[in-house]
């Protein structure tokens, strides 16, 4: 059983940029309705891709620098990182199939 | 959902408050109902952190919480939900055939509740900078413009509500409106005029959005004098109206001059057995309670049609 891990700017480099496997980062904020709807889907994906993809959450209110560094201007935004680079971005609430596709193309 | 089920009594297209309310009524009337939603169940209101004017919630309610509750209520009565895009609707004798990206489904009656989407201006830079400074949802994106100057284009309730919402974040909000008076209700106007950080550019239209990686300014034109000027902004929130999502119908139903579905006061459309509810229909007042009301009426009309 695997759950997305909440991280901050300080831990971003180690966990996301230096990860050996692809990583999905869920940029969110407590006041964002669609983010609440994305969260359970990301949790399902975290289970399904356990061992193949790392899953992390970043609260943009607490971590504005890393959000701005990756051009996050709207939430929810999901970014798939591979080898330290963003390879896929999904802006807004999208169906699970679309999220899976963006993970599969990174694997 | 049963994997192979393709036939229903009612198919509801659209999972916002109109579709969800209709689903509660048809499912509770023991009509086998499938609701098809292409994005997020709940519709546009999920972007609202707090809804103050939905009857029954004196302290207000979150957009997501409200529509999630509607969905759970409908599911309790047996509503099935499918997430995919509807590509067309056809009438085949006594059946309606709803084509989707996941195959065709048939039903005796269809309730079209596909809502509307934000109108685009179609000016240079608008598409390129969407997500990079151009936004169609202040509640979604306002937080990214903390202490920065932004513009809101529009003069109706949505535009002024968004301008007020943005006072939580932006350093300056310039409302750009093509006329010299607002369409918004008085109470919203009063609040906006009293807010020191909101300023108004009257008789003005946006011409072009300019920037580097992100938006840096917007070129505007005064429609009376013809004079052009540049407004330094980090964000631009478009609020110039809504377009009903009727494209997928391919001319099946009679539409009014705004592209909205024409209905009777019982939500009947120009095709017997097809009903319309919520923002997709003409005369909609664009409120959750009205959409929910439409949904219930449409459901009862659908039931009458099926048993008639």
């Amino acid at each position: 059983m695997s759950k997305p891990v909440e991280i901050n700017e300080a831990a971003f480099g180690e966990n996301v940029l230096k990860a050996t496997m692809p990583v999905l980062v869920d940029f969110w904020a407590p006041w964002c309705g669609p983010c609440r709807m994305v969260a359970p889907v990301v949790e399902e994906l975290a289970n399904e891709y356990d061992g193949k993809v790392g899953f992390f959450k970043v609260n943009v209110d607490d971590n504005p620098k890393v959000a701005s560094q990756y051009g996050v201007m709207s939430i929810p935004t999901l970014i798939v990182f591979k080898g330290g680079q963003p390879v896929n971005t999904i802006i807004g609430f999208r169906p699970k199939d679309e999220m899976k596709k963006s993970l599969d193309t990174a694997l | 959902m049963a994997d192979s089920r393709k036939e229903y009594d009612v198919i509801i297209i659209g999972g916002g408050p109109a579709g969800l309310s209709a689903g509660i009524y048809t499912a509770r009337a023991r009509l086998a109902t499938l609701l098809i939603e292409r994005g997020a169940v709940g519709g546009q209101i999920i972007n609202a952190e707090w809804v103050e004017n939905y009857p029954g919630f004196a302290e207000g309610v979150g957009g997501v919480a409200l529509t999630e509750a509607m969905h759970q209520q409908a599911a309790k009565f047996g509503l099935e939900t499918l997430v995919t895009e509807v590509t067309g609707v056809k009438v085949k004798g006594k059946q309606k055939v709803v084509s989707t990206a996941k195959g065709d489904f048939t039903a005796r009656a269809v309730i079209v509740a596909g809502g509307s989407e934000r109108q685009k201006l179609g000016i240079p830079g608008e598409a390129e900078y969407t997500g990079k400074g151009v936004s169609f949802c202040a509640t979604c994106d306002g937080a990214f413009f903390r202490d920065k100057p932004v513009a809101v284009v529009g003069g109706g309730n949505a535009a002024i509500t968004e301008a007020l919402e943005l006072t939580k974040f932006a350093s300056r909000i310039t409302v750009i409106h093509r006329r010299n008076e607002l369409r918004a209700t008085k109470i919203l106007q009063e609040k906006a005029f009293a807010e020191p950080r909101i300023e108004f550019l009257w008789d003005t239209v946006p011409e072009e959005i300019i920037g580097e990686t992100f938006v840096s300014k917007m070129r505007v034109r005064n429609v009376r004098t013809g004079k052009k000027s540049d407004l330094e902004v980090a964000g631009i929130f478009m609020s110039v109206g809504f377009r009903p999502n009727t494209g997928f119908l391919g001319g099946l139903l009679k539409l009014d001059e705004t592209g909205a579905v024409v209905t009777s006061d019982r939500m009947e459309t120009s095709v017997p057995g097809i009903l319309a509810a919520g923002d997709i229909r003409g005369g909609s007042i664009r409120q959750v309670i009205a959409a929910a009301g439409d949904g219930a009426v449409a459901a009862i009309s659908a039931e009458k049609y099926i048993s008639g």
Side-chain angles (χ1 to χ4, degrees):
Chain A
M1 269 285 282
S2 183
K3 265 185 80 125
V5 176
E6 190 80 47
I7 58 169
N8 60 17
E9 275 161 354
F12 197 82
E14 196 62 44
N15 287 291
V16 176
L17 302 178
K18 295 208 189 124
T20 47
M21 57 183 184
V23 164
L24 180 137
V25 179
D26 175 3
F27 290 91
W28 73 288
W31 41 260
C32 159
C35 297
R36 275 184 51 190
M37 305 183 68
V38 161
V41 183
V42 172
E43 281 189 23
E44 283 172 20
L45 292 173
N47 269 324
E48 291 166 32
Y49 287 80
D50 189 18
K52 295 196 234 146
V53 178
F55 287 81
F56 296 97
K57 292 180 69 157
V58 172
N59 180 325
V60 302
D61 277 350
D62 300 335
N63 303 283
K65 272 208 334 248
V66 70
S68 152
Q69 195 175 354
Y70 290 98
V72 177
M73 291 192 102
S74 180
I75 51 176
T77 287
L78 302 178
I79 303 183
V80 179
F81 288 81
K82 194 173 179 187
Q85 294 297 319
V87 294
N88 276 324
T89 302
I90 299 181
I91 299 177
F93 179 91
R94 302 306 303 153
K96 189 176 176 182
D97 288 350
E98 252 185 73
M99 296 189 207
K100 286 186 79 148
K101 247 196 250 162
S102 74
L103 289 176
D104 291 338
T105 57
L107 281 172
Chain B
M1 165 182 171
D3 285 313
S4 52
R5 175 148 204 179
K6 297 280 180 191
E7 286 180 26
Y8 291 85
D9 293 319
V10 179
I11 290 176
I12 299 170
I13 302 174
L20 294 172
S21 170
I24 290 170
Y25 275 79
T26 58
R28 194 165 170 269
R30 301 279 179 256
L31 296 171
T33 310
L34 175 67
L35 182 144
I36 306 175
E37 164 59 49
R38 68 176 172 181
V41 168
Q44 291 187 67
I45 201 65
I46 64 169
N47 293 311
E49 197 186 344
W50 211 241
V51 179
E52 278 190 345
N53 55 4
Y54 192 83
F57 293 87
E59 306 306 315
V61 61
V64 168
L66 177 60
T67 49
E68 263 179 3
M70 291 183 185
H71 194 207
Q72 279 164 23
Q73 193 174 355
K76 197 178 73 171
F77 293 117
L79 177 77
E80 294 180 23
T81 305
L82 174 66
V83 176
T84 188
E85 176 126 26
V86 170
T87 51
V89 180
K90 279 199 303 282
V91 177
K92 262 207 171 122
K94 282 205 150 64
Q95 298 286 339
K96 316 291 183 277
V97 180
V98 177
S99 302
T100 78
K102 290 192 177 160
D104 289 359
F105 299 87
T106 59
R108 291 291 324 279
V110 169
I111 298 177
V112 173
S116 60
E117 63 173 12
R118 287 286 176 117
Q119 198 116 275
K120 301 199 175 25
L121 274 176
I123 58 173
E126 184 186 44
E128 298 86 303
Y129 288 106
T130 295
K132 298 195 178 121
V134 172
S135 167
F136 292 84
C137 177
T139 52
C140 314
D141 307 336
F144 297 95
F145 300 92
R146 222 175 281 269
D147 305 320
K148 297 199 179 131
V150 300
V152 173
V153 182
N157 286 331
I160 301 309
T161 303
E162 301 213 321
L164 290 164
E165 170 77 26
L166 288 163
T167 57
K168 286 206 291 242
F169 308 105
S171 57
R172 185 194 76 222
I173 300 124
T174 307
V175 174
I176 295 170
H177 188 40
R178 63 200 158 110
R179 294 184 301 125
N180 64 358
E181 59 173 11
L182 300 174
R183 256 195 345 266
T185 59
K186 290 279 172 268
I187 192 171
L188 286 176
Q189 292 197 37
E190 280 163 23
K191 282 192 189 167
F193 292 140
E195 171 57 57
R197 263 176 304 154
I198 297 179
E199 50 182 51
F200 293 84
L201 273 183
W202 303 103
D203 301 308
T204 303
V205 294
E207 285 221 318
E208 191 182 348
I209 296 166
I210 299 157
E212 312 266 314
T213 322
F214 299 105
V215 168
S216 58
K217 60 184 176 189
M218 180 161 65
R219 185 149 299 150
V220 301
R221 176 172 56 89
N222 185 303
V223 297
R224 288 207 188 172
T225 65
K227 182 158 174 276
K228 300 193 190 191
S229 55
D230 286 353
L231 183 71
E232 305 268 322
V233 282
I236 299 162
F237 294 84
M238 298 298 190
S239 206
V240 296
F242 294 82
R243 225 172 40 89
N245 290 320
T246 44
F248 74 96
L249 291 167
L252 177 69
L253 305 177
K254 179 157 184 265
L255 307 178
D256 68 18
E257 68 278 1
T258 71
V261 180
V262 174
T263 67
S264 66
D265 60 8
R266 293 303 167 97
M267 310 302 136
E268 295 155 323
T269 68
S270 53
V271 174
I274 300 185
L275 299 310
D279 285 7
I280 204 168
R281 66 175 198 95
S284 154
I285 62 165
R286 314 188 42 70
Q287 296 293 306
V288 177
I289 185 60
D294 284 1
V297 176
I300 289 171
S301 293
E303 194 186 358
K304 205 151 154 237
Y305 171 83
I306 290 171
S307 59

